[in-house]
Amino acid sequence: MEGTMKKALACALVLASAACVTPPIPENYSGPIAIIRDTAASESANRAQFFYLSEIDGRKVENVLMASRKANAGRGFSMSTVDFARDVPAKASTLLLEGRVAYGAPIQEIINSGTVYTVQKTLNFTPESNKAYVVKGVLSAERKEVWLEEVATGKRIQ
């Protein structure tokens, strides 16, 4: 019974986080496209850092943290990361970038709340057509930073 309840809770969390997202490409958009890739790094078997695009023009979009939580649903305290990228319109947009430390289970985040570092950055940006970008960052007690950079050159986007 206990295992069933844990799985039900994990599924509910995944569904709740995914229920409010919209596709990054608007329904009738037919213009140029760019790619934005999220990043994640495991720190242990149950803790990882995530750097991702969470909103485009105020609309929540799926990201690496959501995809990783979905992939880890029902695995107890385990937290492994997945690769995640999405196409975005190559047009002027307001992007919300986020960085977050996450654990495999909500109780771990409550117990370790002092080390669940987060950061956000709003960026007004026009991605170039057919270019790839990556969200990167640093999360520690001393430094909390998230940024976007061009994949081909490593140039940070201000």
Side-chain angles (χ1 to χ4, degrees):
M1 181 73 168
E2 184 178 308
T4 304
M5 289 178 61
K6 285 182 183 179
K7 286 181 183 178
L9 178 60
C11 289
L13 288 172
V14 168
L15 291 173
S17 67
C20 302
V21 300
T22 60
I25 305 289
E27 191 171 310
N28 295 319
Y29 183 79
S30 62
I33 301 290
I35 296 172
I36 297 181
R37 188 177 79 229
D38 298 342
T39 58
S42 293
E43 294 183 334
S44 70
N46 60 8
R47 176 185 162 107
Q49 291 190 11
F50 297 89
F51 301 98
Y52 52 93
L53 171 63
S54 65
E55 293 182 8
I56 301 174
D57 295 329
R59 294 175 294 121
K60 290 189 182 298
V61 295
E62 191 168 358
N63 59 62
V64 69
L65 179 56
M66 290 176 182
S68 294
R69 287 196 193 278
K70 192 180 302 182
N72 286 282
R75 294 185 58 218
F77 292 143
S78 296
M79 172 56 81
S80 58
T81 63
V82 298
D83 291 332
F84 192 87
R86 93 275 294 139
D87 292 340
V88 298
K91 66 176 190 71
S93 301
T94 301
L95 308 178
L96 180 61
L97 307 178
E98 293 192 46
R100 179 178 178 79
V101 169
Y103 286 84
I107 189 66
Q108 291 171 296
E109 291 190 10
I110 293 168
I111 292 168
N112 297 297
S113 62
T115 61
V116 177
Y117 307 121
T118 62
V119 63
Q120 291 185 337
K121 179 178 183 174
T122 301
L123 182 66
N124 294 311
F125 175 60
T126 305
E128 291 184 46
S129 181
N130 299 317
K131 282 204 174 177
Y133 302 89
V134 61
V135 183
K136 291 189 174 181
V138 175
L139 286 173
S140 68
E142 299 79 31
R143 187 171 166 212
K144 296 162 188 70
E145 189 176 358
V146 64
W147 64 87
L148 186 68
E149 67 181 47
E150 200 174 291
V151 170
T153 65
K155 176 185 169 196
R156 277 197 194 190
I157 309 300
Q158 301 300 324

